[in-house]
Amino acid sequence: MVRHPRLRALLAAAMSLVGFVVVGFAILRFLDGARAAERLRAISPGWMALALLAWCLSIGVQTLRLRALVPASPRPPLAGFAFIVLGSNAVHLALPGPVAELGAAWALRQRYGVPMPSALAAALLARVLALAIFGLVTLALWPLVADRLPENVAMAVTPLAFATGLLAVGLFVLLLRPVAVAGLAARFADRLAAVPPLARHADRLGSRLRWWARCFAAVGELPLSRWAEAAALSVLNLLVLTGSALLTLRAVGFEAAPLGTLFMQALTAVASVAGLFVPGGLGAVEVLVVLLFPLYAEGTTSDAVFAALALRSVHLATLLLGIPAMSWLIATLPDDPAERELALAGTLAADLDARGAAAP
């Protein structure tokens, strides 16, 4: 078992890439036979390069969004922030769980003196804000695009679109009152602790939620202008990602419909939260891209699968670009797992205590 975090991330990245190439080509061969190689040869390198460039532009937009929500004055340099965001995105594609946010928060503290609780809360709330906006876009666009899907697919996607919209509303409630929501959840966990079978887990959950409430308190003090800036950047990011998807689809021979592509991009971005459990949300996103194919292009099932693989290939290409940043980001953490956990926990606690002592 690989214990070193940098080697583990690099190994996971390599396995993700190799697995994607092998499985993807095997699926294409199964669906298309000898035509699979022809499809690959027909890809336009120029359009694909533009698609990758657009995706890289998205990294810049995400950097500005996170920077807007980090409560630090003066704001840390944009270039350093971009390197941290690029690295954390690569970690998300390689490893499940909150490793990326922890690494980014640690790096922001080590390099720019940003307290870890503030950095962690800002990173989480930036993603929550983006998901909330993407969810609202999904709900708003669904009536405009639903009639393009086959009836059986539309029946399956309709509850998903509405659930995404309801999730967006819930996320906005969290964004409006993050401290209150976390505190309310902690009190609910305390009540569950009175039930013997749940006591141990509920007590741990309550402690963690109260900890998050303290972290959120720092970000909650940001002026409304910062939140408006972050929201506008989330919308811009969705448009940039949609542009990258349109360019990718053109590179592989599809003239995609912009509105349908926008809906697909918004819904799959929400679905990518599966990355908390599976690196990069691999699988969940591709299934949706295939199901929603009639919304943005015309063709067969094999065309839909090819489109999904092409879109994912651009996404995974950013992993290659982000490997140097990912290696640096993880290298800022202590090598020994026990030492790393102690350092992170100790630093988080110290920063929270320092903030509490400084509060009037």
Side-chain angles (χ1 to χ4, degrees), residues 27-28 31-32 39 249 252 254 285-294 296-311:
I27 292 173
L28 280 180
L31 292 173
D32 274 353
R39 281 189 184 274
L249 292 167
V252 296
F254 299 113
V285 170
E286 282 70 30
V287 169
L288 274 177
V289 171
V290 172
L291 281 176
L292 299 176
F293 185 74
Y296 57 88
E298 296 179 358
T300 63
T301 300
S302 60
D303 291 327
V305 171
F306 186 53
L309 294 173
L311 290 166

Side-chain angles (χ1 to χ4, degrees), residues 62-72 74-79 81 85 226 229:
Q62 292 172 51
T63 299
L64 291 171
R65 183 182 65 200
L66 177 59
R67 192 166 175 254
L69 291 180
V70 169
R75 294 190 189 185
L78 190 60
F81 244 96
V85 169
R226 291 277 198 102
E229 180 184 346

Side-chain angles (χ1 to χ4, degrees), residues 106 109 115-117 211 214 342-358:
W106 178 265
R109 188 185 195 281
M116 278 193 72
W211 178 85
R214 296 173 69 192
L342 184 63
L344 290 171
T347 303
L348 280 164
D351 284 351
L352 280 170
D353 291 343
R355 187 180 182 282

Side-chain angles (χ1 to χ4, degrees), residues 27-349:
I27 292 173
L28 280 180
R29 286 281 297 178
F30 175 76
L31 292 173
D32 274 353
R35 190 176 169 227
E38 294 177 19
R39 281 189 184 274
L40 296 175
R41 284 194 294 268
I43 294 174
S44 167
W47 286 112
M48 192 61 84
L50 286 175
L52 182 57
L53 183 63
W55 192 281
C56 290
L57 179 60
S58 165
I59 300 295
V61 178
Q62 292 172 51
T63 299
L64 291 171
R65 183 182 65 200
L66 177 59
R67 192 166 175 254
L69 291 180
V70 169
S73 185
R75 294 190 189 185
L78 190 60
F81 244 96
F83 203 63
I84 290 172
V85 169
L86 185 61
S88 65
N89 280 2
V91 174
H92 263 298
L93 287 171
L95 298 172
V99 180
E101 280 75 15
L102 282 170
W106 178 265
L108 284 170
R109 188 185 195 281
Q110 297 296 96
R111 192 161 185 174
Y112 303 116
V114 177
M116 278 193 72
S118 301
L120 266 177
L124 177 64
L125 292 179
R127 292 186 184 277
V128 168
L129 177 62
L131 289 175
I133 289 174
F134 292 178
L136 286 184
V137 170
T138 299
L139 188 60
L141 290 180
W142 178 238
L144 304 177
V145 300
D147 59 353
R148 300 183 198 174
L149 285 175
E151 186 177 353
N152 60 332
V153 177
M155 289 179 62
V157 176
T158 296
L160 181 60
F162 279 95
T164 302
L166 290 175
L167 172 66
V169 173
L171 292 176
F172 274 116
V173 172
L174 172 61
L175 289 167
L176 288 172
R177 294 287 185 273
V179 179
V181 170
L184 183 64
R187 287 193 291 274
F188 178 71
D190 290 341
R191 289 183 179 275
L192 290 179
V195 182
L198 303 175
R200 194 177 79 177
H201 298 293
D203 186 60
R204 184 183 304 172
L205 176 62
S207 298
R208 184 60 57 87
L209 287 167
R210 282 188 288 273
W211 178 85
W212 272 112
R214 296 173 69 192
C215 291
F216 288 146
V219 180
E221 294 169 359
L222 284 173
L224 185 60
S225 59
R226 291 277 198 102
W227 286 101
E229 180 184 346
L233 288 166
S234 293
V235 174
L236 177 59
N237 189 44
L238 176 58
L239 296 176
V240 169
L241 292 175
T242 301
S244 176
L246 289 168
L247 290 167
T248 302
L249 292 167
R250 175 134 190 198
V252 296
F254 299 113
E255 292 295 331
L259 195 63
T261 306
L262 178 62
F263 177 86
M264 178 270 292
Q265 188 63 56
L267 185 56
T268 54
V270 177
S272 69
V273 296
L276 290 173
F277 310 100
V278 180
L282 283 168
V285 170
E286 282 70 30
V287 169
L288 274 177
V289 171
V290 172
L291 281 176
L292 299 176
F293 185 74
L295 291 183
Y296 57 88
E298 296 179 358
T300 63
T301 300
S302 60
D303 291 327
V305 171
F306 186 53
L309 294 173
L311 290 166
R312 175 60 80 174
S313 69
V314 172
H315 191 193
L316 287 178
T318 61
L319 186 152
L320 290 174
L321 296 175
I323 280 177
M326 178 179 71
S327 298
W328 168 82
L329 189 67
I330 295 177
T332 62
L333 298 169
D335 290 341
D336 181 75
E339 186 180 320
R340 181 168 64 251
E341 186 175 343
L342 184 63
L344 290 171
T347 303
L348 280 164

